[in-house]
Amino acid sequence: MAVNQLELASRTKTINQTEKFGISAYISEENNNRLQSIMYTKLAAAGSYLFWDGDETEYLYYVRSGIIKLVKSTEEGRDMTMSIVQKGDLIMEMNGFHVSLHNFSAIVIEDAEVGVIQKKDLEILLQRHGDFALEFMSWMGLMHRITQSKFRDLLMYGKPGALASTLIRMCNSFGIACEDGIRIDLKLTNTELAEIIGATRESVNRMLSELKTEGTITVKNGQIIVQRLSNLKGKCNCPSFLVCPLEICRM
Amino acid sequence: MAVNQLELASRTKTINQTEKFGISAYISEENNNRLQSIMYTKLAAAGSYLFWDGDETEYLYYVRSGIIKLVKSTEEGRDMTMSIVQKGDLIMEMNGFHVSLHNFSAIVIEDAEVGVIQKKDLEILLQRHGDFALEFMSWMGLMHRITQSKFRDLLMYGKPGALASTLIRMCNSFGIACEDGIRIDLKLTNTELAEIIGATRESVNRMLSELKTEGTITVKNGQIIVQRLSNLKGKCNCPSFLVCPLEICRM
DNA sequence: TTGATAGTGTGATATTTCTCACAAAAGTTC
DNA sequence: GAACTTTTGTGAGAAATATCACACTATCAA
């Protein structure tokens, strides 16, 4: 049985592609233009780094296209992916406008075009336009809530729950409705998935196998298609989508 | 061997008690006064709730005294403590100034006096005073970074690492220098500790026993005294405190 | 001071997750 | 399309963590 139509409509990015995405959905047209006006464009090839863990937080990055992952590395070489961002997302990591250091690296995983914003320029803009500052704060608050709900899911329901939560979020952020269900339009290896949920590649592999035999997911051309979203929801205690605000349930 | 003096000085709340604490350390005297001016005082007894998961996010709470924990409950009755806040902390959970719902409950664990702030009043204040808005954003950014680093620690180094990280953070937030080391001035049961790190009471109990026999910690009057902070740091890959900004390593 | 209640300590066992080892499959390059 | 390289799949065993059961200790209120 496929996912019901209401879910498809609300849960996938297809309908959103014609609409506003990322931070622009949270700020006015005018303020969005202001924000755009202080960026300069930079192209970043897959595999390159926008910044490294420990660099100064001098700039913010507005993602125009491509995919970028935010990764914390440990000395022992185990990486943890904090977030995966795309078109419309703003990469910002700073406590204020004074000097501080990045806590993770930004690795481009699909060729990207980003708008680079000088912290100082943003500060001037925010100070001058009170309404922009408020909108920006709203967005910051939302990002914080996403982080909280994400990590809560990763901690509370074991690795299968963590994987299920991640797959649901990927549906909401990268999903495209298709006849079989929701296709996650993002190619990740099992190792990359493991780094998101804090598990080993082998565990992820076994869990995915089980989801396949259950009929919850299927894989086509290396992309995961979620056939039974409700199965995933059950594994991570995701309440009915009326209660769980979609804007928070994302990567 | 006790903790070295430099560490003691920087890592405990003793020196900070005469200084600014919580959000007031991040905003100017003038803006702090503005913030105080829109609060009304409320007393909340231990055991009471400031708000419940699912309530509308109508107010913010500035903690003047007492201790409050922010808890997410699941249907199966397993709770997870997201944060423990104290004097100077601001409890805020909102994506912007429109209607939204709390994602966790705020439970008073030591009699508290809080300043209640109407979301609408704060909005006016922030819009009117651009410098306040910037300071407020700095603080929001910092809170987000604390959340990220906390959950990262909870996920990456197993339960012993999660416990070690939590104990270090408790030293920084509630620690008082004493002759044996750092006394954590907060009484938590093993169950409460378990709810912070996402483990069972029994696991916490066994891990604490081991820390005791190692000589890393000791318990006096129901409070934990950390005797060898470096032992804890080793367990959660905490880099030297010159690299890890203290403002981020807190509860 | 005595129950009642809440919290701690600990063994035995089950379950989850990781580790290691290696084979099979898929993707890339020349 | 042969030779690499990367990724996936899987078994066996080890390690970490949870579960259950119950005794013990501390705290508190009458």
Side-chain angles (χ1 to χ4, degrees):
Chain A
M1 187 210 341
V3 179
N4 81 54
Q5 290 307 308
L6 192 64
E7 291 254 353
L8 269 185
S10 66
R11 287 214 159 249
T12 62
K13 73 175 187 184
T14 30
I15 56 152
N16 291 322
Q17 279 178 332
T18 53
E19 299 181 11
K20 287 178 176 172
F21 38 80
I23 191 173
S24 63
Y26 295 88
I27 62 183
S28 72
E29 193 71 34
E30 191 183 6
N31 287 324
N32 190 33
N33 291 338
R34 289 189 175 117
L35 184 61
Q36 297 297 329
S37 75
I38 60 171
M39 300 177 187
Y40 69 88
T41 298
K42 179 180 171 171
L43 295 174
S48 66
Y49 281 65
L50 279 188
F51 55 81
W52 296 74
D53 191 355
D55 285 357
E56 261 195 32
T57 58
E58 231 178 316
Y59 307 103
L60 292 83
Y61 301 87
Y62 176 83
V63 183
R64 293 232 179 78
S65 67
I67 311 270
I68 296 166
K69 65 176 176 181
L70 310 179
V71 174
K72 179 77 189 176
S73 301
T74 61
E75 282 111 45
E76 318 99 73
R78 287 203 309 127
D79 287 3
M80 158 135 216
T81 298
M82 316 279 300
S83 185
I84 295 181
V85 302
Q86 61 177 324
K87 179 169 77 161
D89 288 325
L90 186 60
I91 303 174
M92 177 183 83
E93 197 198 12
M94 50 177 196
N95 20 326
F97 297 92
H98 56 279
V99 174
S100 67
L101 304 181
H102 279 296
N103 238 320
F104 48 69
S105 306
I107 309 175
V108 181
I109 56 177
E110 286 183 20
D111 288 352
E113 183 188 322
V114 297
V116 181
I117 302 166
Q118 194 110 27
K119 214 160 70 166
K120 196 73 201 157
D121 293 339
L122 178 65
E123 183 177 4
I124 292 166
L125 210 57
L126 289 167
Q127 188 150 30
R128 189 168 303 161
H129 305 285
D131 61 320
F132 184 30
L134 285 183
E135 289 170 352
F136 201 84
M137 271 187 255
S138 296
W139 175 81
M140 286 180 74
L142 177 64
M143 291 302 112
H144 192 162
R145 291 184 72 149
I146 290 174
T147 298
Q148 284 182 323
S149 83
K150 203 159 52 179
F151 282 113
R152 184 168 39 69
D153 287 354
L154 294 185
L155 268 173
M156 293 209 63
Y157 305 107
K159 299 308 177 191
L163 179 60
S165 164
T166 301
L167 290 175
I168 295 171
R169 288 170 192 276
M170 296 206 312
C171 281
N172 295 338
S173 290
F174 301 98
I176 292 180
C178 64
E179 63 277 19
D180 305 349
I182 302 171
R183 179 167 58 84
I184 295 172
D185 187 24
L186 179 66
K187 246 182 182 170
L188 291 179
T189 65
N190 291 352
T191 305
E192 288 172 312
L193 266 173
E195 286 173 355
I196 295 172
I197 67 173
T200 59
R201 172 190 78 74
E202 293 92 329
S203 295
V204 168
N205 191 296
R206 284 185 244 264
M207 289 189 286
L208 286 177
S209 299
E210 206 183 313
L211 291 176
K212 281 178 215 162
T213 54
E214 272 177 24
T216 305
I217 65 169
T218 184
V219 175
K220 210 180 272 180
N221 306 322
Q223 290 189 331
I224 293 170
I225 297 173
V226 175
Q227 296 174 299
R228 302 194 195 179
L229 196 57
S230 55
N231 284 10
L232 292 179
K233 287 188 187 177
K235 288 177 208 290
C236 61
N237 247 44
C238 175
S240 107
F241 74 102
L242 292 173
V243 183
C244 166
L246 262 183
E247 55 182 6
I248 285 177
C249 187
R250 10 195 74 255
M251 293 300 296
Chain B
M1 188 210 343
V3 180
N4 80 54
Q5 289 307 309
L6 193 65
E7 290 255 353
L8 269 186
S10 65
R11 287 213 161 251
T12 61
K13 74 173 186 184
T14 30
I15 57 151
N16 290 322
Q17 278 177 333
T18 53
E19 299 180 11
K20 287 178 177 172
F21 39 80
I23 190 173
S24 62
Y26 295 89
I27 63 182
S28 72
E29 193 71 34
E30 191 183 4
N31 286 324
N32 190 33
N33 291 338
R34 289 188 175 119
L35 184 60
Q36 297 298 328
S37 75
I38 59 169
M39 299 178 188
Y40 69 88
T41 297
K42 179 179 170 169
L43 296 173
S48 67
Y49 281 65
L50 279 188
F51 54 81
W52 296 75
D53 191 355
D55 285 357
E56 260 195 33
T57 57
E58 230 177 315
Y59 307 103
L60 292 84
Y61 301 86
Y62 176 84
V63 183
R64 293 231 179 78
S65 68
I67 312 268
I68 296 166
K69 66 176 177 181
L70 310 180
V71 175
K72 179 77 188 176
S73 301
T74 60
E75 282 111 46
E76 318 98 73
R78 289 203 308 128
D79 287 4
M80 159 137 217
T81 299
M82 316 279 300
S83 186
I84 295 181
V85 302
Q86 61 177 328
K87 179 170 79 161
D89 288 325
L90 186 60
I91 303 174
M92 177 183 83
E93 197 198 14
M94 50 178 199
N95 21 326
F97 297 91
H98 56 279
V99 174
S100 67
L101 303 180
H102 280 294
N103 237 320
F104 47 70
S105 306
I107 309 175
V108 181
I109 57 177
E110 285 182 20
D111 289 354
E113 184 188 322
V114 297
V116 181
I117 302 167
Q118 194 110 30
K119 213 158 72 165
K120 196 73 200 160
D121 293 337
L122 178 66
E123 183 177 3
I124 293 166
L125 211 55
L126 289 168
Q127 187 150 32
R128 189 168 304 162
H129 305 286
D131 62 320
F132 184 31
L134 285 182
E135 289 171 351
F136 201 84
M137 271 186 255
S138 297
W139 174 82
M140 286 180 75
L142 177 63
M143 291 302 113
H144 192 162
R145 291 183 72 149
I146 290 174
T147 298
Q148 284 182 324
S149 83
K150 204 159 52 180
F151 282 113
R152 186 167 38 69
D153 287 353
L154 294 185
L155 267 173
M156 293 209 64
Y157 304 108
K159 299 308 176 190
L163 180 59
S165 164
T166 301
L167 290 175
I168 294 171
R169 288 171 191 276
M170 295 206 315
C171 281
N172 295 337
S173 290
F174 300 98
I176 292 180
C178 64
E179 64 275 23
D180 304 350
I182 301 171
R183 179 167 57 84
I184 295 172
D185 187 23
L186 179 65
K187 245 182 181 170
L188 291 178
T189 65
N190 291 353
T191 305
E192 287 172 311
L193 266 174
E195 286 172 355
I196 295 172
I197 68 172
T200 59
R201 173 190 77 77
E202 293 91 328
S203 293
V204 167
N205 191 297
R206 284 184 242 265
M207 289 188 287
L208 286 177
S209 300
E210 206 183 310
L211 291 176
K212 279 178 215 161
T213 54
E214 273 177 22
T216 304
I217 65 169
T218 184
V219 175
K220 210 180 275 179
N221 306 324
Q223 290 189 331
I224 293 171
I225 297 174
V226 175
Q227 296 174 300
R228 302 193 195 180
L229 195 57
S230 56
N231 284 11
L232 292 179
K233 286 187 186 178
K235 288 177 208 290
C236 61
N237 247 45
C238 176
S240 106
F241 74 103
L242 292 173
V243 183
C244 166
L246 261 183
E247 55 181 7
I248 285 177
C249 187
R250 9 196 74 255
M251 292 300 294

